Amino acid sequence: QVQLVESGGDLVQAGGSLRLSCAASRSIFLNAMGWYRQAPGKQRELVASITAGGSTKYADSVKGRFTITRDNARNTVALQMNSLKPEDTAVYYCAAHQWALGPEGTGAYWGQGTQVTVSS
């Protein structure tokens, strides 16, 4: 079993920045790592993902504002969030999969979630 430990959630004003970090508990190959979020009353959505080769995907709502990076040697992934908006408020979950992360995150390993709140 792989545990994902997240950090970095906080309360921030609109226009501000936050950096979320996530580390896998043991060294196994995880081709896909990424971040999902779930706001109250909404479905969980895939925000950003990155493969071991460095290919990235972003939700349209965060393109140009969020940047995902990873350190393969350390099995860590980070999400730099800039120009934050109140609609970015959600619980953010780190996820990882040995092959690929889909919209639902089926078969993925999950972190416990970290709260990001953006005030207007």
Side-chain angles (χ1 to χ4, degrees):
Q1 186 70 8
V2 175
Q3 288 186 323
L4 301 175
V5 180
E6 304 140 336
S7 61
D10 206 343
L11 169 64
V12 64
Q13 287 190 331
S17 298
L18 279 177
R19 183 177 178 85
L20 304 181
S21 298
C22 173
S25 62
R26 65 187 185 97
S27 183
I28 68 168
F29 179 69
L30 296 166
N31 182 58
M33 301 186 79
W35 295 89
Y36 292 72
R37 68 185 180 187
Q38 187 166 23
K42 294 188 176 181
Q43 287 190 329
R44 186 166 56 192
E45 65 170 338
L46 178 57
V47 176
S49 64
I50 185 168
T51 67
S55 295
T56 58
K57 291 183 179 179
Y58 295 93
D60 287 343
S61 59
V62 307
K63 283 180 182 177
R65 299 188 298 122
F66 290 11
T67 302
I68 189 169
T69 56
R70 68 182 286 172
D71 183 330
N72 290 333
R74 299 183 179 184
N75 248 359
T76 60
V77 64
L79 186 68
Q80 179 66 41
M81 304 185 293
N82 298 329
S83 302
L84 283 161
K85 304 175 181 180
E87 50 263 44
D88 294 318
T89 295
V91 177
Y92 283 71
Y93 297 90
C94 176
H97 195 284
Q98 288 181 280
W99 302 114
L101 288 172
E104 304 295 328
T106 303
Y109 300 105
W110 292 94
Q112 79 282 2
T114 186
Q115 178 69 47
V116 171
T117 303
V118 184
S119 63
S120 57

